[in-house]
Amino acid sequence: MGVEYTQLAMELRGRGCMVLEREPMAAHTSFKIGGPADLLVTAPDENAAAAAFSLCRERDVPVMLVGNGTNLLVSDGGIEGVVLRLEAGEEPGLQPDGCTIHCSAGYSVKRLCLFARDHGLAGLEFAYGIPGTVGGGVFMNAGAYGGQMADVLLSVRLMDRYGRIREIPAEALDLGYRHSTLMETGEAVLSAAFQLKPDSRTAIAGRMEDFMGRRKEKQPLEYPSAGSFFKRPPGNFAGTLIERAGLKGLAVGGARVSEKHAGFIINTGGATCRDVLELCRQVQRRVFDRDGVWLEPEVRPVGREME
Ligand SMILES: Cc1cc2nc3c(=O)[nH]c(=O)nc-3n(C[C@H](O)[C@H](O)[C@H](O)COP(=O)(O)OP(=O)(O)OC[C@H]3O[C@@H](n4cnc5c(N)ncnc54)[C@H](O)[C@@H]3O)c2cc1C
């Protein structure tokens, strides 16, 4: 028997969640691509998130967590089951030591960086231009300009699919280049603690603006994308390899290799997931034929018929 999504939606609303049925994910991803999620559910707090996990488990409904959707390529067929977002929650909290910030997972990385700056705490400047949430940043071990979440993350609070909560030190996440154990365990990040160092606000702000300036200069921020499409291959740069293979401007449908930064695949209007995947394959093949390097996507393909 099929899942009664309207019934499930009603029950989730009864537990305090906000629910959108058959919601196009194109409206919730920075790529502006993706078919409908059966249910897009926003949990306002941990109790609501636990209720969502338990109701879905009882009915065998898959749950996928999403932050700001800035590292996702969602299938044109959409996502089966529940796509779960955690609300941004309250302002981050500063611990009595004056250097540790606690922040909920749904909070934006950019706002966290501004909070740190305003409190004269250094270490998160690298992350200022990363457009995701704290949860997505921890999951991906997001990084830029020589910094990464692993450098400043102290601990995380996690919830498993049974609604059980545990707090673990950052080392237990085995954070590596765009990797965390969360990719295997499927646990939700509820909140994170960051250990920072005191510094002058002006110096911190200066570094943040410098990194942001470099992004604006080098990245095609005027087009929808999911950031760097490919992971950095050892000892090389994806953008350099793609440019060397003469692939800047290569297009499939509305998807195009950016002229400004060859590491970005952009949506120039109406691109489908299928366009992006075909373009990705062409880039992978042609770079491999030229340089013998197989580029792996950093962007996460999700949804029907993607796994
Ligand atoms: C213009 C642009 C520039 C970018 N620059 C960078 C950069 O410099 N460095 C970099 O690393 N990335 C960059 N990115 C990619 C992206 O912003 C990061 O990967 C970011 O950390 C993703 O966060 P998100 O909240 O959008 O996660 P999403 O894209 O929504 O999700 C990413 C993954 O995290 C999981 N996830 C999300 N929230 C949670 C949670 N609470 N608990 C458990 N799992 C969760 C999802 O299931 C998914 O698998 C860029 C993207 C864009 C569009």
Side-chain angles (χ1 to χ4, degrees), residues 65-72 131 133 137 139 142-143 178 189 215 227 300:
L65 281 142
V66 72
N68 274 347
T70 63
N71 204 39
L72 299 180
T133 59
F139 179 95
R178 304 297 172 268
V189 179
R215 278 179 191 272
R300 297 178 69 78

Side-chain angles (χ1 to χ4, degrees), residues 67-135:
N68 274 347
T70 63
N71 204 39
L72 299 180
L73 175 61
V74 178
S75 144
D76 300 317
I79 302 178
E80 187 190 344
V82 162
V83 173
L84 182 61
R85 291 193 299 200
L86 306 175
E87 220 166 64
E90 294 163 11
E91 282 283 290
L94 193 57
Q95 291 302 99
D97 69 359
C99 291
T100 309
I101 298 178
H102 271 274
C103 186
S104 61
Y107 208 74
S108 93
V109 165
K110 180 173 183 178
R111 288 178 62 200
L112 169 65
C113 294
L114 292 171
F115 181 90
R117 179 201 65 188
D118 292 347
H119 288 81
L121 291 173
L124 273 165
E125 296 90 315
F126 75 89
Y128 182 46
I130 299 177
T133 59
V134 168

